[in-house]
Amino acid sequence: MVSAQLHLGVAIDGAGYHPAAWRISAVEPAALFTAGHYLRYAKLAEAASLDFVTLDDSLALQPGGEGVVRGRLDALLTLSAIAPVTSRIGLVPTVTTTHTEPFHVSTSVATLDYASRGRAGVLAVPSLTAAEAAHFARRPAPSPEDGDAETAEVLEVSTRLWDSWEDDAIVRDAATGRFIDRDKLHYVDFEGRFFSVKGPSITPRPPQGHPVTAVYGDSPHARAADVVVTRADHLDAVRATAARHPGAKVLATVSIVLAETEQGARDRQRELDALMPFEPAGLSFTGTPAQLAAELPRWAAETGVAGFHLRPAVLPDDLDLLAGEVVPALRAAGAFRSGYAGTTLREHLGLGVAVNQYQGA
Amino acid sequence: MTKQIKLAAHFPGVNNTTVWSDPASGSQIDFASFEHLARTAERGKFDFLFLAEGLRLREHAGKILDSDVVGRPNTTTVLAALSAVTTHLGLAGTLSSTFNEPYEVARQVASIDHLSGGRAAWNVVTSPDAFTGQNFRRGGFLKREDRYARAEEFLATVRELWDSWAPGTLVGDKENGVFARDPGRFVHSGPQFDIAGEFTLPRTPQGQPIVIQAGDSDEGREFAAKTADVIFSRHGTLEDGQAFYHDVKRRLAAYGRDHGELLIMPAATFVLGDTDAEAEENAREIRLQQVRPATAIQFLEQVWSRDLSDYDVDGPLPEVDPDPDAEPLTWGRVRHEKDPLETARRWRAVAEEKKLSIRELVIEATARQQFVGTPSTVAATIDEYVQSDAADGFVLVPHLTPGGLDEFVEKVVPHLQERGVFRTEYAGPTLREQLF
């Protein structure tokens, strides 16, 4: 029997998810602040036809002191800088939703969709820390419940703004002197609990109609988007999150430490933890590529998730093994596609065509 | 000494000057159009590409304006994407200091500077406008008189953040496990912003990205003299340009700045032809496309604040006076006419003297700096303006998107290079190296 086809996204943050990764990676620390660093990993992921890469972000420094990677580029701008020089890989930056302007969030994600010709997504995350609030000093940090509620509003108004231009709104009708048909532009008139936005967008509807929206779905207040990423750390909890979001593509986070032998993988894990003890969020895997390729379809079947958000411990090492060995093994087992069928992230994820809520309104 | 000319290319946003009905006019939104203009500008060894910012669609008489090119992408996102397809071209964008916060702007511009290897520039503007504010959490809170106070403190705060990683902060010592030592600490306490914490980005390749300022008012000139690297102006004639140039450069000394530390770059359009006469004819046809009948009436209504839709654009100006107390009919466009009655008087006088119809008058009244002629004439005129201190260079606005700059780069730039007033190779990898 052919197992279900998995969806796979991969995190390309810093030197890898493990806080000690930068110390054993061959990568120069200063390279983390260049576009080339992220382009290299996006190309590796694209060569393996993974669905998308993610890049984390926040409006504050990473915690952890001088022993860990601190500082990072704006995630959306970094993925924008690799959009024109990649062709198929989905690009999903974390975008914060608390201190930012929802109008800017909507147009910048739409623009990433234009620059990538239909490969943009957005992982919407509230800013819950006091440090972030102090960088703006306009409002206190929200409670987790309010942060999630506001994130849901930001995604809703973003989608309305994306829809606020019908796809054929630009008419260029020289006979009547009209560049646009104004009847195909719509005020969104969004009035929420946290903000209001008049609209329409300044940016015409992006190539995908709706760039892919994603949230972390473990909080009881989280409202579903196209994709829900769960960082639950055991299979029962992953199954519960998947059950709570039946309409979404639920992906489980798996942090991975790989080596050609089981012993080798354990040794790498020990080496990293000796430099900096660390418990990653979500599921963890330490072992060989073949073992991981066997586990992933089994975990998906057991929990009902559509796929995984994989976090390599060290870049590029664990991503090399993921792309070079895990993916071919999954393909051989019929659990992963042999190449890209479409060109957009929505197509990779099987999300179907986005319907414009204002079309013909 | 012969001055070296600075050149920038503007990708026009929402405007009535892009001739969208021309068969050669392409998309104003697809990334390929931005890439085309950027690659052309870089082939021509331009200093930078410039993008304005749009935050709300224009409305006229209560409806979204449908006659102009409209629809544009987010500014910083396009600039970041362009960093991937260019290597030396500066990447400049307008970011409102009203509908953003210093931490975000500092981070976005610094990110673009890192991603591009030192080519970012920020055009600082403010907006007091409640109409635009309806799209933002911030709303239209800013009082007009507070604009420059906020802008100045905004820029100062952004610069504090850009400087917040002291030299040597990024240690990167793998052996001893020190990535960064005490990164990004800042405290800013002022009337506009009272913020503290840690900035997320190391000092950028340029250290301080380039700061541009646009604005003609006394406060605007003073702000630029105090702190900007480049000022955009809109002075059409040689004499106006020289007066502005001398006024702004004169102000530098009060801030301990040198004459060469602030570059004056007016926006300018150009029209080429094989002969000067052919270029003039091309220019006339372009102006007619830019000021269509509906556009001419809108411009007039903008000053008159009355419904003038029944007037014949090929006939004389209305006898009725502007309504000085009416709400503006047009929203989202910068109003340069402060006194509508005075403007109407001036326009009537010009129309009478030159026997101009409504449309012809609007064409005349809204003309910007134009270089019209053969490539060698245009090169000579630009050079004359720069050598006689009417400008340090120009921000060129093509009337066709995205191919409107091709002809300039192919035909005019070589003349400038032959005259020895424009570079044939980039000076170094950063925008600061091109400009100073």
Side-chain angles (χ1 to χ4, degrees):
Chain A
M1 185 188 108
V2 175
S3 21
Q5 298 269 306
L6 298 175
H7 293 291
L8 298 177
V10 65
I12 55 170
D13 303 297
Y17 84 79
H18 198 287
W22 71 275
R23 297 184 62 184
I24 67 168
S25 165
V27 169
E28 282 304 312
L32 271 49
F33 302 100
T34 65
H37 180 78
Y38 303 94
L39 177 60
R40 175 181 174 191
Y41 305 132
K43 283 190 178 277
L44 272 172
E46 186 169 80
S49 59
L50 301 187
D51 294 70
F52 60 89
V53 293
T54 63
L55 201 53
D56 199 8
D57 208 352
S58 100
L59 293 167
L61 273 181
Q62 303 92 324
E66 64 182 28
V68 305
V69 170
R70 298 190 80 197
R72 61 182 145 205
L73 297 161
D74 181 286
L76 185 134
L77 296 180
T78 304
L79 293 185
S80 299
I82 67 176
V85 281
T86 52
S87 58
R88 295 292 187 93
I89 188 80
L91 302 169
V92 185
T94 289
V95 174
T96 60
T97 54
T98 304
H99 304 292
T100 45
E101 290 283 358
F103 193 85
H104 294 320
V105 170
S106 172
T107 60
S108 57
V109 174
T111 304
L112 178 60
D113 208 39
Y114 276 104
S116 64
R117 297 171 179 90
R119 295 180 285 128
V122 54
L123 180 55
V125 175
S127 299
L128 301 180
T129 67
E132 289 162 288
H135 293 161
F136 292 84
R138 288 174 53 196
R139 52 191 294 204
S143 66
E145 182 172 9
D146 282 352
D148 280 338
E150 189 170 11
T151 299
E153 282 194 4
V154 170
L155 289 180
E156 187 188 337
V157 80
S158 282
T159 308
R160 286 202 205 177
L161 287 166
W162 294 332
D163 281 346
S164 66
W165 290 57
E166 294 184 30
D167 287 328
D168 52 356
I170 295 176
V171 292
R172 290 179 185 255
D173 183 4
T176 58
R178 291 177 314 149
F179 182 78
I180 50 165
D181 177 351
R182 63 162 72 101
D183 293 337
K184 294 184 174 179
L185 266 57
H186 304 277
Y187 293 102
V188 303
D189 284 322
F190 181 85
E191 298 274 352
R193 221 181 104 197
F194 301 92
F195 53 83
S196 60
V197 174
K198 179 76 181 170
S201 183
I202 54 158
T203 308
R205 197 164 187 261
Q208 292 183 98
H210 300 167
V212 173
T213 58
V215 295
Y216 288 119
D218 301 312
S219 146
H221 317 294
R223 272 178 258 166
D226 296 321
V227 170
V228 172
V229 178
T230 169
R231 291 178 289 187
D233 59 5
H234 58 276
L235 294 181
D236 288 341
V238 170
R239 186 184 305 115
T241 306
R244 208 163 49 240
H245 300 290
K249 301 279 179 188
V250 179
L251 306 181
T253 291
V254 185
S255 299
I256 56 174
V257 178
L258 298 172
E260 295 299 347
T261 65
E262 220 178 310
Q263 188 58 46
R266 280 204 212 98
D267 289 347
R268 287 189 68 225
Q269 180 82 61
R270 257 195 299 275
E271 184 191 2
L272 286 162
D273 289 345
L275 289 167
M276 174 84 56
F278 185 65
E279 282 286 325
L283 302 171
S284 294
F285 177 87
T286 303
T288 68
Q291 288 169 335
L292 179 61
E295 288 287 54
L296 292 178
R298 202 163 59 75
W299 287 350
E302 268 184 42
T303 60
V305 298
F308 298 93
H309 178 226
L310 301 168
R311 299 204 307 155
V314 180
L315 293 167
D317 312 38
D318 292 283
L319 180 55
D320 277 335
L321 288 170
L322 175 66
E325 299 191 26
V326 179
V327 166
L330 287 170
R331 283 194 183 124
F336 192 65
R337 59 165 171 263
S338 57
Y340 289 108
T343 57
T344 72
L345 179 54
R346 291 188 72 84
E347 286 169 339
H348 302 341
L349 291 167
L351 285 169
V353 174
V355 176
N356 189 333
Q357 61 198 296
Y358 298 111
Q359 187 87 37
Chain B
M1 196 185 118
T2 313
K3 278 167 71 183
Q4 290 293 301
I5 295 169
K6 309 299 172 191
L7 288 177
H10 176 54
F11 192 107
V14 176
N15 69 86
N16 72 293
T17 53
T18 298
V19 180
W20 53 259
S21 53
D22 191 299
S25 170
S27 172
Q28 90 293 358
I29 181 72
D30 287 346
F31 182 71
S33 291
F34 292 87
E35 183 172 350
H36 182 101
L37 188 74
R39 285 185 188 274
T40 304
E42 187 162 271
R43 195 168 71 240
K45 305 289 187 282
F46 274 44
D47 293 83
F48 60 92
L49 176 130
F50 173 70
L51 296 180
E53 182 185 42
L55 299 173
R56 182 153 177 196
L57 298 184
R58 284 177 186 173
E59 291 181 7
H60 182 79
K63 289 178 178 163
I64 293 167
L65 198 58
D66 62 2
S67 53
D68 294 352
V69 163
V70 57
R72 60 167 124 198
N74 176 277
T75 301
T76 51
T77 315
V78 173
L79 295 178
L82 287 175
S83 74
V85 294
T86 52
T87 57
H88 287 78
L89 185 69
L91 302 166
T94 300
L95 289 174
S96 166
S97 64
T98 306
F99 301 115
N100 292 289
E101 295 297 313
Y103 198 91
E104 293 175 283
V105 167
R107 204 160 172 270
Q108 288 172 351
V109 177
S111 289
I112 295 169
D113 209 45
H114 279 292
L115 291 165
S116 65
R119 298 185 279 135
W122 168 38
N123 178 34
V124 188
V125 300
T126 62
S127 169
D129 183 332
F131 173 78
T132 307
Q134 283 186 304
N135 281 336
F136 295 92
R137 295 178 191 270
R138 264 294 194 189
F141 72 102
L142 191 62
K143 280 190 282 183
R144 192 166 186 95
E145 56 268 31
D146 293 339
R147 286 176 68 175
Y148 279 100
R150 181 173 162 100
E152 259 193 58
E153 192 176 327
F154 195 111
L155 174 57
T157 310
V158 165
R159 284 187 159 145
E160 285 164 35
L161 293 168
W162 285 342
D163 284 344
S164 66
W165 287 51
T169 301
L170 184 58
V171 178
D173 179 350
K174 294 185 181 185
E175 190 114 333
N176 296 301
V178 183
F179 185 84
R181 197 165 274 148
D182 200 18
R185 288 271 173 83
F186 72 94
V187 178
H188 177 94
S189 189
Q192 305 285 335
F193 307 101
D194 192 1
I195 60 176
E198 295 164 321
F199 187 54
T200 60
L201 275 169
R203 200 168 161 78
T204 71
Q206 290 190 108
Q208 293 274 333
I210 295 294
V211 169
I212 302 172
Q213 202 270 327
D216 198 25
S217 67
D218 196 56
E219 300 102 300
R221 293 177 188 209
E222 205 62 27
F223 178 42
K226 187 173 174 184
T227 195
D229 298 304
V230 177
I231 182 166
F232 287 160
S233 75
R234 33 176 297 124
H235 292 276
T237 67
L238 190 74
E239 294 73 24
D240 282 358
Q242 286 171 329
F244 179 81
Y245 190 97
H246 288 298
D247 178 66
V248 173
K249 298 261 179 174
R250 174 185 60 76
R251 295 171 191 246
L252 289 166
Y255 301 104
R257 300 184 74 199
D258 185 75
H259 194 259
E261 287 180 53
L262 175 65
L263 299 171
I264 294 171
M265 298 180 68
T269 62
F270 60 91
V271 181
L272 302 177
D274 289 338
T275 63
D276 287 343
E278 186 190 302
E280 289 292 346
E281 177 56 25
N282 291 344
R284 203 183 65 80
E285 277 171 23
I286 290 163
R287 291 299 287 154
L288 283 170
Q289 292 300 309
Q290 291 171 327
V291 185
R292 294 158 167 280
T295 308
I297 293 294
Q298 283 152 15
F299 265 102
L300 212 61
E301 289 181 339
Q302 196 183 333
V303 173
W304 259 252
S305 293
R306 292 182 188 278
D307 178 1
L308 304 174
S309 52
D310 288 340
Y311 283 82
D312 177 5
V313 286
D314 297 318
L317 260 58
E319 279 163 22
V320 61
D321 273 333
D323 181 348
D325 303 320
E327 279 282 291
L329 267 177
T330 300
W331 287 98
R333 187 191 281 282
V334 178
R335 280 174 69 114
H336 296 288
E337 312 296 344
K338 309 286 185 239
D339 179 351
L341 286 169
E342 163 55 24
T343 302
R345 263 195 297 278
R346 193 156 34 83
W347 283 11
R348 282 204 186 103
V350 172
E352 195 156 323
E353 187 198 328
K354 299 189 178 176
K355 308 260 179 292
L356 301 179
S357 67
I358 289 175
R359 192 175 179 192
E360 289 164 339
L361 182 275
V362 171
I363 286 174
E364 172 116 353
T366 61
R368 283 202 280 182
Q369 173 88 55
Q370 275 201 328
F371 296 116
V372 179
T374 65
S376 98
T377 310
V378 166
T381 312
I382 289 176
D383 192 20
E384 185 201 349
Y385 269 69
V386 171
Q387 302 311 333
S388 62
D389 285 349
D392 292 310
F394 292 94
V395 181
L396 297 177
V397 192
H399 66 271
L400 285 180
T401 304
L405 193 68
D406 299 27
E407 205 186 12
F408 188 94
V409 163
E410 282 150 25
K411 296 179 179 167
V412 182
V413 166
H415 283 286
L416 294 172
Q417 290 168 332
E418 277 167 31
R419 300 173 80 95
V421 294
F422 191 65
R423 70 173 68 84
T424 53
E425 292 302 332
Y426 280 111
T430 72
L431 174 56
R432 197 167 280 284
E433 285 167 296
Q434 316 320 334
L435 290 175
F436 299 106

